[in-house]
Amino acid sequence: MKKIFKKIGLFLGSASLIVSCSEFEEINVDPTAASSSQVQVEYFIDNSIVGAQQDPHIAERVFVLYWTDAGRMQVVGSLSEGYHSDGWTSDYYRYISGWLKDANNAIKVADEQIEAGTSKVYTANLKQIARIWRAYLMSEMSDNFGPIPVGGFQGVNPDYNSVEEVYTFILAELKEATNSIDEGVTNDGLANWDPAYGYDYTKWVQYGNSLRMRLAMRLSEVAPAKAQAEFEDAARGGVYISTLDDTFQVQENNGWDAITGVMTRQWWDQFLTATQNNLMVGLGGVSSADQVSADKQGSIKPANYMGLKFEDHFTTLTNDPSAGFWFDGLHHSIDPRAYALYPIPGDFDNSQYNRYPSWSPSWTSTTKRNLVIGNADNSENGETNDISIEATNTWNAPVAGDWAEKGSNNRVRSWGGSIPRLADKYRNGTNKRVFFGPWESYFLIAEAAVRGWDVPLSGQAAYEEGISLSFEYNGVSSYIGTYLASENYNRAGTSVSWTHTAEPSATVTMDYIDGYTGQAGTYEFKYPENTIYKGGAVKNDLLTKIITQKFIAQTPWLPLETWNDHRRLGLPFFENPAIENLIDRLPDLTLGNYMTNSVKVFPQRLKYPSGLNNSYPQGYEQAINHLGGSDNVFTPLWWAKH
């Protein structure tokens, strides 16, 4: 890959991968210094895809700090608590502007070569691929910020377009570009210039159609007729990403360049989140006894066990249904992907047990920690009143938010060895970053079927195929039969079986133990009311099942899509952050309503970088007018649930 960048650098002149921090006006500048006869289309496409893979600098800022937090795949406390950084956002804006420039330059150079008669036999196909890829980048940028300039990044003074106009443009682009690819064209010598598909034109057609399905479904709540027409046309014929071999993915490494893994920075914990936990605990009816090794069997708790109650050390000011408890063992049953994605704490012999940061081995090799009784300054080893917690073979996911004194006295909830953390294979730079997996195609088709659209498969067939492919990807296919038939509810009140749509009872009587006294008791577990979806009365309809499964399947690669689905539908259930202290950045979350979900307390977008208004005030004003609200993280996009 180093020689690729070297070769590109010789030809592109001022077309750099990273745009200067302060020069937002570069969206108006044509960066192609060399003539079209001196450059090749494939160089630009490769540079754009490789760049969008995200080097460690931008991956930390947007993938980790923004997307995984907003999409509930990691506990960060940034967007989920109303926080944004102008520095992070400015970096992302200039990076993605560069990726879009490269995509536009690929199209421009292809057109010039075709017109001049200097094109290759495959140049026309590469132009269409560049258009498909540009459509993805424009959707990514718009899904983060909202209005963007359709005519920007290609040497013209751009007007900012509304989100509706952006989507109209990219859906039309995807249709035309995908239909224009000639799959019979040879492309000898090009494979190394396409890090996703090696210029397999059939796979690019599949990706173009699947991407069009994704973006058409984005409009389902705001423009259902348009969404249906686009989706049906894209899905017709069954030419979409349908197998694991079709996955749009890019090989990672563990260095410091553009293809370094997005989650390789060792200082991020990548803890299991409360959202994920509530979705996976109990889901699918597969017992932990059938999943874990002999040494862990004694740690499995009964199905009706809630855990140890520590009300002075675990927050209860949240609508997380598991709040207030520490689960001192393994759950009776859990989605099989849970243990594959997040090794059990203390399972040090597991090759996938992640030990980051490598310079502080005690962070993950020690599972025993204290709950401090009294003064938070007590020594870990010095106070006899402290409660020692052994986290080996336990399963917990403390909710985010402000825990106040409970948090400062709780030395367990944020300790690397105490909470399940993402498997090593997703963090060590040996994997492939997934941009679009086949499970998503099938969950999209299942949703379309539920909506009554004309699609190639029944809703049930598509739903079950999506789950099966996710199980295959995670290496747990042996459990699929039991799982698909299960009518067991997870902690959000949703089951797996397609034909089982009975709603759970409002409460379930659970056993627990008081963590301070050891006294046994009973607890009325209440399923959460997701009040932004059908008023909170529905927990187990077909759409909830689909989006629950889609969320789990997208973990850990596609947090932007789980955020998108939640913004679009209010699904799956996202718990509110804890407010032992009120969070200034979430003024609409109060002690009077923390049990209620509201779009006003979930992030909706990124603010535009301050440099945009400074360098291009006319464009910024256009963008805000199209946005239809204030330039803050809580203004919903056009297609999102309001």
Side-chain angles (χ1 to χ4, degrees):
M1 193 58 66
K2 288 183 178 178
K3 73 175 183 180
I4 293 175
F5 283 122
K6 182 177 179 181
K7 192 167 186 178
I8 292 173
L10 293 174
F11 288 111
L12 300 193
S14 62
S16 60
L17 180 64
I18 303 173
V19 185
S20 172
C21 294
S22 62
E23 295 181 316
F24 292 97
E25 67 272 17
E26 286 196 12
I27 61 175
N28 309 324
V29 178
D30 179 3
T32 310
S35 70
S36 61
S37 63
Q38 294 174 291
V39 295
Q40 297 300 330
V41 178
E42 57 267 29
Y43 300 166
F44 288 107
I45 296 174
D46 181 75
N47 209 37
S48 184
I49 296 175
V50 167
Q53 163 70 16
Q54 298 189 7
D55 67 35
H57 176 84
I58 200 58
E60 180 176 43
R61 282 147 182 78
V62 65
F63 190 97
V64 175
L65 291 170
Y66 277 154
W67 294 351
T68 65
D69 186 67
R72 299 302 177 93
M73 289 190 189
Q74 188 187 190
V75 180
V76 176
S78 55
L79 277 177
S80 66
E81 297 179 25
Y83 177 79
H84 76 280
S85 163
D86 187 58
W88 302 347
T89 304
S90 298
D91 285 349
Y92 176 53
Y93 194 95
R94 64 186 174 87
Y95 266 77
I96 196 168
S97 297
W99 308 334
L100 275 162
K101 286 180 187 178
D102 282 329
N104 277 304
N105 283 333
I107 298 166
K108 177 182 178 181
V109 170
D111 283 338
E112 291 174 350
Q113 290 179 350
I114 292 169
E115 182 177 355
T118 60
S119 62
K120 307 290 195 304
V121 65
Y122 50 72
T123 301
N125 270 2
L126 267 57
K127 173 187 173 181
Q128 308 312 324
I129 287 171
R131 294 172 74 191
I132 293 171
W133 179 244
R134 180 178 64 177
Y136 165 73
L137 291 175
M138 292 181 73
S139 73
E140 180 184 304
M141 190 177 195
S142 180
D143 290 347
N144 278 277
F145 293 105
I148 63 171
V150 167
F153 321 106
Q154 52 185 331
V156 298
N157 190 32
D159 288 326
Y160 274 70
N161 299 90
S162 68
V163 175
E164 181 177 7
E165 291 169 334
V166 171
Y167 265 77
T168 299
F169 174 80
I170 57 182
L171 286 168
E173 279 284 282
L174 284 170
K175 178 178 181 177
E176 184 176 321
T178 303
N179 290 339
S180 298
I181 291 177
D182 182 351
E183 297 179 45
V185 169
T186 59
N187 60 359
D188 293 342
L190 279 185
N192 289 338
W193 293 99
D194 175 5
Y197 285 141
Y199 283 116
D200 182 325
Y201 298 132
T202 298
K203 292 186 184 300
W204 272 102
V205 171
Q206 292 172 332
Y207 174 61
N209 286 330
S210 287
L211 182 58
R212 190 174 167 211
M213 289 159 57
R214 172 195 283 177
L215 301 181
M217 188 60 74
R218 194 90 81 237
L219 311 186
S220 59
E221 299 299 297
V222 68
K226 171 71 170 175
Q228 179 177 355
E230 292 283 352
F231 193 101
E232 290 178 348
D233 189 60
R236 189 174 294 118
V239 184
Y240 45 76
I241 294 174
S242 60
T243 70
L244 291 177
D245 288 341
D246 301 334
T247 303
F248 191 107
Q249 55 190 349
V250 176
Q251 180 65 54
E252 297 182 321
N253 67 27
N254 194 4
W256 194 278
D257 59 20
I259 58 170
T260 296
V262 288
M263 291 176 281
T264 53
R265 297 310 92 187
Q266 295 195 20
W267 45 84
W268 290 107
D269 305 315
Q270 301 290 346
F271 286 138
L272 175 76
T273 68
T275 300
Q276 294 167 315
N277 196 49
N278 288 323
L279 296 182
M280 293 192 290
V281 169
L283 188 65
V286 181
S287 67
S288 286
D290 290 336
Q291 299 185 57
V292 302
S293 55
D295 61 304
K296 299 177 181 61
Q297 295 290 326
S299 299
I300 299 171
K301 301 295 184 178
N304 69 332
Y305 179 65
M306 195 69 197
L308 300 177
K309 187 175 184 181
F310 289 108
E311 59 186 10
D312 294 331
H313 289 83
F314 285 83
T315 182
T316 55
L317 295 183
T318 169
N319 59 351
D320 173 17
S322 303
F325 291 89
W326 169 262
F327 200 81
D328 56 328
L330 301 177
H331 291 279
H332 181 268
S333 64
I334 194 168
D335 190 302
R337 291 166 291 186
Y339 295 146
L341 288 162
Y342 295 91
I344 296 167
D347 191 8
F348 302 126
D349 293 331
N350 186 339
S351 63
Q352 291 304 317
Y353 191 90
N354 182 263
R355 297 177 182 273
Y356 291 166
S358 57
W359 56 83
S360 182
S362 64
W363 178 251
T364 54
S365 63
T366 303
T367 57
K368 184 176 289 187
R369 298 290 286 173
N370 284 358
L371 300 180
V372 178
I373 303 298
N375 189 338
D377 293 329
N378 287 352
S379 167
E380 280 287 317
N381 302 312
E383 295 294 330
T384 57
N385 287 336
D386 290 357
I387 298 174
S388 180
I389 297 291
E390 174 55 71
T392 296
N393 295 339
T394 63
W395 192 266
N396 292 273
V399 69
D402 191 326
W403 284 41
E405 187 177 357
K406 290 182 180 182
S408 59
N409 287 342
N410 188 321
R411 306 294 172 83
V412 182
R413 68 176 181 118
S414 59
W415 183 250
S418 301
I419 308 297
R421 305 199 318 158
L422 190 62
D424 195 58
K425 62 185 176 182
Y426 299 111
R427 306 211 56 199
N428 60 16
T430 62
N431 220 312
K432 294 181 179 180
R433 178 185 164 189
V434 174
F435 285 79
F436 203 114
W439 50 81
E440 184 177 347
S441 295
Y442 288 106
F443 291 132
L444 287 167
I445 291 170
E447 180 176 347
V450 168
R451 294 179 180 277
W453 300 353
D454 183 13
V455 288
L457 297 170
S458 70
Q460 181 173 356
Y463 170 79
E464 293 182 349
E465 183 63 16
I467 297 173
S468 297
L469 284 163
S470 175
F471 269 50
E472 182 180 354
Y473 181 81
N474 285 282
V476 294
S477 293
S478 61
Y479 304 109
I480 192 66
T482 299
Y483 189 86
L484 291 176
S486 173
E487 297 182 357
N488 291 16
Y489 297 109
N490 62 14
R491 288 201 167 176
T494 307
S495 67
V496 175
S497 172
W498 180 263
T499 58
H500 178 247
T501 55
E503 289 292 312
S505 58
T507 61
V508 177
T509 301
M510 305 281 282
D511 294 333
Y512 80 95
I513 296 174
D514 187 303
Y516 305 114
T517 67
Q519 184 175 351
T522 59
Y523 176 79
E524 290 302 308
F525 174 88
K526 184 178 181 181
Y527 289 105
E529 294 183 2
N530 185 7
T531 45
I532 55 176
Y533 180 70
K534 296 187 176 181
V538 177
K539 302 174 180 64
N540 196 37
D541 65 351
L542 294 178
L543 187 54
T544 303
K545 291 177 186 289
I546 292 166
I547 303 302
T548 294
Q549 292 296 332
K550 187 179 178 186
F551 181 104
I552 298 170
Q554 301 285 43
T555 305
W557 295 117
L558 289 151
L560 177 57
E561 284 307 306
T562 58
W563 183 27
N564 286 336
D565 276 336
H566 193 267
R567 287 185 286 173
R568 175 171 67 95
L569 298 167
L571 291 172
F573 170 72
F574 281 12
E575 75 291 339
N576 290 330
I579 52 168
E580 297 290 337
N581 285 325
L582 295 178
I583 301 172
D584 291 342
R585 299 183 300 272
L586 296 177
D588 289 298
L589 184 62
T590 70
L591 293 174
N593 66 9
Y594 68 87
M595 292 297 293
T596 301
N597 282 15
S598 169
V599 295
K600 294 181 180 180
V601 300
F602 293 125
Q604 300 295 313
R605 58 180 291 274
L606 302 183
K607 287 186 63 174
Y608 290 109
S610 59
L612 178 62
N613 189 25
N614 295 335
S615 65
Y616 189 31
Q618 178 184 348
Y620 178 76
E621 183 179 357
Q622 289 175 339
I624 301 309
N625 287 338
H626 286 310
L627 186 62
S630 301
D631 184 16
N632 63 50
V633 300
F634 295 111
T635 297
L637 301 184
W638 169 68
W639 49 258
K641 193 176 188 70
H642 290 61

